[in-house]
Amino acid sequence: MLHSLTFHKTMDVSFRNESHRMPDMKIIWKRVELQLFSIYATAHFPIFFLSDAKYWDDWSLSGASKDMLISVFSQAGLPIIGYYHYAVQLVGWWFYAFSTFLLGYLIVNVFYLVLKALNFSKFDAMSLSFLVAVLPLYHARIAAINNPGLIFILIFAFAVYIFIISRNENNKYKEYLSYALFALSFPLNSLVPSFLLVLFLAAYLLYKKENALKAEFNQRNYLNIIKYILRNTYIIILLPFVYAAIQHFMLKTSGMFADDYNIIDIKISTLISEIRVIFFYLFPSDGIYIDKKILLLVFAAVLMAVYSITSHQVCSSPQVEHSGRGLIGMGVVLLGLGASAYVMVGKEPSYEPWTATRFQVLLPFGAAFSTLGLFKTICAVFPATNPDKRHRMKVASFAGLIAVFIVNWWFVYGTFYLDHLWQEAFADTIRNTPALQGRNSVILDRSGLQAFDTTAGLGEYAGLHESATGKRDALILNYDSMIAYGGWSGFVSKFGRFLGAWTKVEDAAFDVPGCLYIIHRGRAGQNKWSYAANAFIVKITYPERYVARDLLRFDGPFCQSTR
């Protein structure tokens, strides 16, 4: 009997201990960092399946010597990037995927800290951070050549956070530290126009904190207002000009990038392009590739699941959330700043070809504000007598939207995996076909397997040929690109300064036109997604059984006659 009582007391104590442990798990899950990481990782974990893949200019980057890397990036005015790529390749190519994933998450996390420092409500701050993590923008992050840009964006975001904290605390040391960090981020030149945001923030923080400035606003003494702001922000105004002077005299472009590279040309069409970018990226629907039926299914399933899970009271917090119109206005400003650096040099952000999405690198921040603003505006239209139900529906609908973006990212990474399989098949075909080795060629691809119908570039073809043969004696051109520049000789004349060791064609005979090869899918009737799934499984379980070249069929050669 005594033993039985002791057992019951022990069990009672253990259950009580368990009940004390359970809230701890809830507290851990409620940590913002974990929630942000969960959403971000769910969307972008497939990048690790592509850790050995190379895209676009990665083929020029891959295997380049230290001297070559430093020389090329010195010509671009960024020698430090050459050292970075050399260091990363000493670690291994896999590190590009790892660092891209990590840097992306850190940017999202620091963005959340910036919003909280600006007193955004928890719902707004988390929603905006989730959107920055998963909006269908900047697919070009997949390319290792674009990886260093994320470092500069992270430095810039952290500098903004330090700047806000320094102004709130009136700490000059932190303020000067933020200026140093801003200067370190400027090698990504697209951040220089975005630095105007810091001037806006400084004026806003001054208005909030300084009674003298508020009094001038009330009296509408605009000249004094301008003088007051200039007196307190002169370092911010001067910093971009100081960096521009340093860049002009010490980091000038040369060689391949000397002639007409990134020349600013502001005209009426530039303004029209800027307005068009802002309009189309308020909600970046063009980046959603999944079928509408799947989209609706995912949205509805997640909406119902989240709504049922949050059946208990979830009324809004007492913090004041920003209105939909206010968020849209902020989004327009940020989109304009993020796009301006590219639009001014004639590089309008777009989805086709996918390499042009590198010009979207700063757009997720503005698009997040405008998307959340549009979402709130739509939610406000629907009446609800019960505020608790209204808030639950808003949370559930937003969760459905995030789920759609996540599934869309899986599709994007899957598309790049298909492109990777195409590359392997192309190289394996050359490796096993002597007639394709050591000779110039023109490729007309009709396989439909290249990512987002973006044809391979000059360096990609040469890199694949080198990986198959170990030689750099073949100039391989894309048919459409060649025709666009007036044929073989026109292309060679236009891009002659790029034909060399960097593009891995230094031993090719540029004056000998190549024969045409037309590429088709090896198994015309097979669904490309089922092939990708089978290839993924076979390469993991029985890699020796996988024959890459079976994916493609080369028809040709079709050579020019002597006439």
Side-chain angles (χ1 to χ4, degrees), residues 448-466:
L449 297 174
Q450 292 182 289
F452 306 106
D453 296 323
T454 301
T455 55
L458 173 67
E460 185 171 340
Y461 281 129
L464 290 167
H465 181 272
E466 186 199 32

mmCIF file with all atom_site columns, all heavy atoms in Angstrom, residues 448-466:
data_model
loop_
_atom_site.group_PDB
_atom_site.id
_atom_site.type_symbol
_atom_site.label_atom_id
_atom_site.label_alt_id
_atom_site.label_comp_id
_atom_site.label_asym_id
_atom_site.label_entity_id
_atom_site.label_seq_id
_atom_site.pdbx_PDB_ins_code
_atom_site.Cartn_x
_atom_site.Cartn_y
_atom_site.Cartn_z
_atom_site.occupancy
_atom_site.B_iso_or_equiv
_atom_site.pdbx_formal_charge
_atom_site.auth_seq_id
_atom_site.auth_comp_id
_atom_site.auth_asym_id
_atom_site.auth_atom_id
_atom_site.pdbx_PDB_model_num
ATOM 1   N N   . GLY A 1 448 ? 13.586 22.298 -74.154 1.00 0.00 ? 448 GLY A N   1
ATOM 2   C CA  . GLY A 1 448 ? 12.672 22.870 -73.163 1.00 0.00 ? 448 GLY A CA  1
ATOM 3   C C   . GLY A 1 448 ? 13.077 22.580 -71.733 1.00 0.00 ? 448 GLY A C   1
ATOM 4   O O   . GLY A 1 448 ? 12.239 22.654 -70.826 1.00 0.00 ? 448 GLY A O   1
ATOM 5   N N   . LEU A 1 449 ? 14.358 22.277 -71.493 1.00 0.00 ? 449 LEU A N   1
ATOM 6   C CA  . LEU A 1 449 ? 14.822 21.892 -70.158 1.00 0.00 ? 449 LEU A CA  1
ATOM 7   C C   . LEU A 1 449 ? 15.645 22.970 -69.470 1.00 0.00 ? 449 LEU A C   1
ATOM 8   O O   . LEU A 1 449 ? 15.938 22.851 -68.286 1.00 0.00 ? 449 LEU A O   1
ATOM 9   C CB  . LEU A 1 449 ? 15.652 20.597 -70.243 1.00 0.00 ? 449 LEU A CB  1
ATOM 10  C CG  . LEU A 1 449 ? 14.905 19.361 -70.744 1.00 0.00 ? 449 LEU A CG  1
ATOM 11  C CD1 . LEU A 1 449 ? 15.866 18.197 -70.916 1.00 0.00 ? 449 LEU A CD1 1
ATOM 12  C CD2 . LEU A 1 449 ? 13.785 18.986 -69.781 1.00 0.00 ? 449 LEU A CD2 1
ATOM 13  N N   . GLN A 1 450 ? 16.021 23.993 -70.204 1.00 0.00 ? 450 GLN A N   1
ATOM 14  C CA  . GLN A 1 450 ? 16.814 25.042 -69.581 1.00 0.00 ? 450 GLN A CA  1
ATOM 15  C C   . GLN A 1 450 ? 15.915 25.958 -68.750 1.00 0.00 ? 450 GLN A C   1
ATOM 16  O O   . GLN A 1 450 ? 14.769 26.238 -69.130 1.00 0.00 ? 450 GLN A O   1
ATOM 17  C CB  . GLN A 1 450 ? 17.571 25.839 -70.645 1.00 0.00 ? 450 GLN A CB  1
ATOM 18  C CG  . GLN A 1 450 ? 18.661 25.002 -71.321 1.00 0.00 ? 450 GLN A CG  1
ATOM 19  C CD  . GLN A 1 450 ? 19.453 25.793 -72.339 1.00 0.00 ? 450 GLN A CD  1
ATOM 20  O OE1 . GLN A 1 450 ? 18.948 26.134 -73.397 1.00 0.00 ? 450 GLN A OE1 1
ATOM 21  N NE2 . GLN A 1 450 ? 20.706 26.071 -72.015 1.00 0.00 ? 450 GLN A NE2 1
ATOM 22  N N   . ALA A 1 451 ? 16.433 26.409 -67.620 1.00 0.00 ? 451 ALA A N   1
ATOM 23  C CA  . ALA A 1 451 ? 15.626 27.134 -66.636 1.00 0.00 ? 451 ALA A CA  1
ATOM 24  C C   . ALA A 1 451 ? 14.953 28.356 -67.242 1.00 0.00 ? 451 ALA A C   1
ATOM 25  O O   . ALA A 1 451 ? 15.622 29.244 -67.764 1.00 0.00 ? 451 ALA A O   1
ATOM 26  C CB  . ALA A 1 451 ? 16.504 27.544 -65.455 1.00 0.00 ? 451 ALA A CB  1
ATOM 27  N N   . PHE A 1 452 ? 13.631 28.374 -67.174 1.00 0.00 ? 452 PHE A N   1
ATOM 28  C CA  . PHE A 1 452 ? 12.818 29.512 -67.610 1.00 0.00 ? 452 PHE A CA  1
ATOM 29  C C   . PHE A 1 452 ? 13.168 29.947 -69.030 1.00 0.00 ? 452 PHE A C   1
ATOM 30  O O   . PHE A 1 452 ? 13.187 31.143 -69.348 1.00 0.00 ? 452 PHE A O   1
ATOM 31  C CB  . PHE A 1 452 ? 12.968 30.673 -66.620 1.00 0.00 ? 452 PHE A CB  1
ATOM 32  C CG  . PHE A 1 452 ? 12.659 30.273 -65.207 1.00 0.00 ? 452 PHE A CG  1
ATOM 33  C CD1 . PHE A 1 452 ? 13.675 30.117 -64.266 1.00 0.00 ? 452 PHE A CD1 1
ATOM 34  C CD2 . PHE A 1 452 ? 11.358 30.005 -64.819 1.00 0.00 ? 452 PHE A CD2 1
ATOM 35  C CE1 . PHE A 1 452 ? 13.394 29.717 -62.967 1.00 0.00 ? 452 PHE A CE1 1
ATOM 36  C CE2 . PHE A 1 452 ? 11.058 29.609 -63.517 1.00 0.00 ? 452 PHE A CE2 1
ATOM 37  C CZ  . PHE A 1 452 ? 12.079 29.461 -62.597 1.00 0.00 ? 452 PHE A CZ  1
ATOM 38  N N   . ASP A 1 453 ? 13.454 28.948 -69.880 1.00 0.00 ? 453 ASP A N   1
ATOM 39  C CA  . ASP A 1 453 ? 13.748 29.173 -71.302 1.00 0.00 ? 453 ASP A CA  1
ATOM 40  C C   . ASP A 1 453 ? 14.901 30.159 -71.517 1.00 0.00 ? 453 ASP A C   1
ATOM 41  O O   . ASP A 1 453 ? 14.955 30.865 -72.524 1.00 0.00 ? 453 ASP A O   1
ATOM 42  C CB  . ASP A 1 453 ? 12.493 29.685 -72.040 1.00 0.00 ? 453 ASP A CB  1
ATOM 43  C CG  . ASP A 1 453 ? 11.380 28.644 -72.049 1.00 0.00 ? 453 ASP A CG  1
ATOM 44  O OD1 . ASP A 1 453 ? 11.703 27.452 -72.178 1.00 0.00 ? 453 ASP A OD1 1
ATOM 45  O OD2 . ASP A 1 453 ? 10.206 29.022 -71.911 1.00 0.00 ? 453 ASP A OD2 1
ATOM 46  N N   . THR A 1 454 ? 15.811 30.208 -70.537 1.00 0.00 ? 454 THR A N   1
ATOM 47  C CA  . THR A 1 454 ? 16.994 31.061 -70.661 1.00 0.00 ? 454 THR A CA  1
ATOM 48  C C   . THR A 1 454 ? 18.124 30.232 -71.254 1.00 0.00 ? 454 THR A C   1
ATOM 49  O O   . THR A 1 454 ? 18.592 29.268 -70.637 1.00 0.00 ? 454 THR A O   1
ATOM 50  C CB  . THR A 1 454 ? 17.422 31.616 -69.291 1.00 0.00 ? 454 THR A CB  1
ATOM 51  O OG1 . THR A 1 454 ? 16.343 32.377 -68.739 1.00 0.00 ? 454 THR A OG1 1
ATOM 52  C CG2 . THR A 1 454 ? 18.654 32.498 -69.428 1.00 0.00 ? 454 THR A CG2 1
ATOM 53  N N   . THR A 1 455 ? 18.548 30.588 -72.446 1.00 0.00 ? 455 THR A N   1
ATOM 54  C CA  . THR A 1 455 ? 19.558 29.790 -73.132 1.00 0.00 ? 455 THR A CA  1
ATOM 55  C C   . THR A 1 455 ? 20.925 29.960 -72.476 1.00 0.00 ? 455 THR A C   1
ATOM 56  O O   . THR A 1 455 ? 21.213 30.973 -71.842 1.00 0.00 ? 455 THR A O   1
ATOM 57  C CB  . THR A 1 455 ? 19.663 30.205 -74.609 1.00 0.00 ? 455 THR A CB  1
ATOM 58  O OG1 . THR A 1 455 ? 19.901 31.616 -74.682 1.00 0.00 ? 455 THR A OG1 1
ATOM 59  C CG2 . THR A 1 455 ? 18.366 29.883 -75.338 1.00 0.00 ? 455 THR A CG2 1
ATOM 60  N N   . ALA A 1 456 ? 21.766 28.952 -72.636 1.00 0.00 ? 456 ALA A N   1
ATOM 61  C CA  . ALA A 1 456 ? 23.110 28.994 -72.067 1.00 0.00 ? 456 ALA A CA  1
ATOM 62  C C   . ALA A 1 456 ? 23.928 30.100 -72.723 1.00 0.00 ? 456 ALA A C   1
ATOM 63  O O   . ALA A 1 456 ? 23.752 30.410 -73.899 1.00 0.00 ? 456 ALA A O   1
ATOM 64  C CB  . ALA A 1 456 ? 23.794 27.644 -72.257 1.00 0.00 ? 456 ALA A CB  1
ATOM 65  N N   . GLY A 1 457 ? 24.827 30.674 -71.963 1.00 0.00 ? 457 GLY A N   1
ATOM 66  C CA  . GLY A 1 457 ? 25.668 31.746 -72.474 1.00 0.00 ? 457 GLY A CA  1
ATOM 67  C C   . GLY A 1 457 ? 27.009 31.237 -72.967 1.00 0.00 ? 457 GLY A C   1
ATOM 68  O O   . GLY A 1 457 ? 27.318 30.037 -72.914 1.00 0.00 ? 457 GLY A O   1
ATOM 69  N N   . LEU A 1 458 ? 27.807 32.159 -73.427 1.00 0.00 ? 458 LEU A N   1
ATOM 70  C CA  . LEU A 1 458 ? 29.119 31.861 -73.991 1.00 0.00 ? 458 LEU A CA  1
ATOM 71  C C   . LEU A 1 458 ? 30.000 31.101 -73.005 1.00 0.00 ? 458 LEU A C   1
ATOM 72  O O   . LEU A 1 458 ? 30.553 30.045 -73.314 1.00 0.00 ? 458 LEU A O   1
ATOM 73  C CB  . LEU A 1 458 ? 29.789 33.182 -74.397 1.00 0.00 ? 458 LEU A CB  1
ATOM 74  C CG  . LEU A 1 458 ? 31.246 33.131 -74.852 1.00 0.00 ? 458 LEU A CG  1
ATOM 75  C CD1 . LEU A 1 458 ? 31.364 32.374 -76.157 1.00 0.00 ? 458 LEU A CD1 1
ATOM 76  C CD2 . LEU A 1 458 ? 31.796 34.548 -74.994 1.00 0.00 ? 458 LEU A CD2 1
ATOM 77  N N   . GLY A 1 459 ? 30.121 31.623 -71.784 1.00 0.00 ? 459 GLY A N   1
ATOM 78  C CA  . GLY A 1 459 ? 30.966 30.980 -70.779 1.00 0.00 ? 459 GLY A CA  1
ATOM 79  C C   . GLY A 1 459 ? 30.438 29.640 -70.329 1.00 0.00 ? 459 GLY A C   1
ATOM 80  O O   . GLY A 1 459 ? 31.222 28.736 -69.996 1.00 0.00 ? 459 GLY A O   1
ATOM 81  N N   . GLU A 1 460 ? 29.101 29.482 -70.310 1.00 0.00 ? 460 GLU A N   1
ATOM 82  C CA  . GLU A 1 460 ? 28.514 28.214 -69.868 1.00 0.00 ? 460 GLU A CA  1
ATOM 83  C C   . GLU A 1 460 ? 28.824 27.091 -70.851 1.00 0.00 ? 460 GLU A C   1
ATOM 84  O O   . GLU A 1 460 ? 29.235 25.994 -70.449 1.00 0.00 ? 460 GLU A O   1
ATOM 85  C CB  . GLU A 1 460 ? 27.001 28.377 -69.708 1.00 0.00 ? 460 GLU A CB  1
ATOM 86  C CG  . GLU A 1 460 ? 26.309 27.137 -69.140 1.00 0.00 ? 460 GLU A CG  1
ATOM 87  C CD  . GLU A 1 460 ? 24.857 27.396 -68.801 1.00 0.00 ? 460 GLU A CD  1
ATOM 88  O OE1 . GLU A 1 460 ? 24.473 28.577 -68.636 1.00 0.00 ? 460 GLU A OE1 1
ATOM 89  O OE2 . GLU A 1 460 ? 24.102 26.411 -68.693 1.00 0.00 ? 460 GLU A OE2 1
ATOM 90  N N   . TYR A 1 461 ? 28.638 27.346 -72.133 1.00 0.00 ? 461 TYR A N   1
ATOM 91  C CA  . TYR A 1 461 ? 28.972 26.334 -73.145 1.00 0.00 ? 461 TYR A CA  1
ATOM 92  C C   . TYR A 1 461 ? 30.460 25.968 -73.081 1.00 0.00 ? 461 TYR A C   1
ATOM 93  O O   . TYR A 1 461 ? 30.826 24.797 -73.136 1.00 0.00 ? 461 TYR A O   1
ATOM 94  C CB  . TYR A 1 461 ? 28.638 26.858 -74.542 1.00 0.00 ? 461 TYR A CB  1
ATOM 95  C CG  . TYR A 1 461 ? 27.177 26.783 -74.918 1.00 0.00 ? 461 TYR A CG  1
ATOM 96  C CD1 . TYR A 1 461 ? 26.508 27.894 -75.421 1.00 0.00 ? 461 TYR A CD1 1
ATOM 97  C CD2 . TYR A 1 461 ? 26.464 25.585 -74.794 1.00 0.00 ? 461 TYR A CD2 1
ATOM 98  C CE1 . TYR A 1 461 ? 25.167 27.824 -75.782 1.00 0.00 ? 461 TYR A CE1 1
ATOM 99  C CE2 . TYR A 1 461 ? 25.128 25.508 -75.149 1.00 0.00 ? 461 TYR A CE2 1
ATOM 100 C CZ  . TYR A 1 461 ? 24.477 26.640 -75.638 1.00 0.00 ? 461 TYR A CZ  1
ATOM 101 O OH  . TYR A 1 461 ? 23.157 26.564 -75.999 1.00 0.00 ? 461 TYR A OH  1
ATOM 102 N N   . ALA A 1 462 ? 31.321 27.001 -72.971 1.00 0.00 ? 462 ALA A N   1
ATOM 103 C CA  . ALA A 1 462 ? 32.761 26.741 -72.932 1.00 0.00 ? 462 ALA A CA  1
ATOM 104 C C   . ALA A 1 462 ? 33.149 25.969 -71.680 1.00 0.00 ? 462 ALA A C   1
ATOM 105 O O   . ALA A 1 462 ? 34.003 25.074 -71.727 1.00 0.00 ? 462 ALA A O   1
ATOM 106 C CB  . ALA A 1 462 ? 33.520 28.067 -72.995 1.00 0.00 ? 462 ALA A CB  1
ATOM 107 N N   . GLY A 1 463 ? 32.510 26.312 -70.551 1.00 0.00 ? 463 GLY A N   1
ATOM 108 C CA  . GLY A 1 463 ? 32.797 25.601 -69.313 1.00 0.00 ? 463 GLY A CA  1
ATOM 109 C C   . GLY A 1 463 ? 32.381 24.141 -69.373 1.00 0.00 ? 463 GLY A C   1
ATOM 110 O O   . GLY A 1 463 ? 33.091 23.258 -68.879 1.00 0.00 ? 463 GLY A O   1
ATOM 111 N N   . LEU A 1 464 ? 31.229 23.882 -69.983 1.00 0.00 ? 464 LEU A N   1
ATOM 112 C CA  . LEU A 1 464 ? 30.771 22.498 -70.136 1.00 0.00 ? 464 LEU A CA  1
ATOM 113 C C   . LEU A 1 464 ? 31.706 21.717 -71.062 1.00 0.00 ? 464 LEU A C   1
ATOM 114 O O   . LEU A 1 464 ? 32.011 20.548 -70.812 1.00 0.00 ? 464 LEU A O   1
ATOM 115 C CB  . LEU A 1 464 ? 29.340 22.483 -70.680 1.00 0.00 ? 464 LEU A CB  1
ATOM 116 C CG  . LEU A 1 464 ? 28.255 22.963 -69.700 1.00 0.00 ? 464 LEU A CG  1
ATOM 117 C CD1 . LEU A 1 464 ? 26.940 23.209 -70.422 1.00 0.00 ? 464 LEU A CD1 1
ATOM 118 C CD2 . LEU A 1 464 ? 28.063 21.943 -68.584 1.00 0.00 ? 464 LEU A CD2 1
ATOM 119 N N   . HIS A 1 465 ? 32.159 22.373 -72.141 1.00 0.00 ? 465 HIS A N   1
ATOM 120 C CA  . HIS A 1 465 ? 33.094 21.712 -73.062 1.00 0.00 ? 465 HIS A CA  1
ATOM 121 C C   . HIS A 1 465 ? 34.404 21.395 -72.341 1.00 0.00 ? 465 HIS A C   1
ATOM 122 O O   . HIS A 1 465 ? 34.964 20.299 -72.484 1.00 0.00 ? 465 HIS A O   1
ATOM 123 C CB  . HIS A 1 465 ? 33.363 22.615 -74.263 1.00 0.00 ? 465 HIS A CB  1
ATOM 124 C CG  . HIS A 1 465 ? 34.291 22.012 -75.266 1.00 0.00 ? 465 HIS A CG  1
ATOM 125 N ND1 . HIS A 1 465 ? 35.670 22.153 -75.178 1.00 0.00 ? 465 HIS A ND1 1
ATOM 126 C CD2 . HIS A 1 465 ? 34.063 21.256 -76.379 1.00 0.00 ? 465 HIS A CD2 1
ATOM 127 C CE1 . HIS A 1 465 ? 36.240 21.516 -76.191 1.00 0.00 ? 465 HIS A CE1 1
ATOM 128 N NE2 . HIS A 1 465 ? 35.277 20.976 -76.934 1.00 0.00 ? 465 HIS A NE2 1
ATOM 129 N N   . GLU A 1 466 ? 34.892 22.339 -71.524 1.00 0.00 ? 466 GLU A N   1
ATOM 130 C CA  . GLU A 1 466 ? 36.139 22.094 -70.787 1.00 0.00 ? 466 GLU A CA  1
ATOM 131 C C   . GLU A 1 466 ? 35.976 20.983 -69.756 1.00 0.00 ? 466 GLU A C   1
ATOM 132 O O   . GLU A 1 466 ? 36.874 20.159 -69.559 1.00 0.00 ? 466 GLU A O   1
ATOM 133 C CB  . GLU A 1 466 ? 36.595 23.375 -70.095 1.00 0.00 ? 466 GLU A CB  1
ATOM 134 C CG  . GLU A 1 466 ? 37.966 23.217 -69.438 1.00 0.00 ? 466 GLU A CG  1
ATOM 135 C CD  . GLU A 1 466 ? 38.238 24.273 -68.384 1.00 0.00 ? 466 GLU A CD  1
ATOM 136 O OE1 . GLU A 1 466 ? 37.282 24.718 -67.718 1.00 0.00 ? 466 GLU A OE1 1
ATOM 137 O OE2 . GLU A 1 466 ? 39.420 24.621 -68.214 1.00 0.00 ? 466 GLU A OE2 1
#
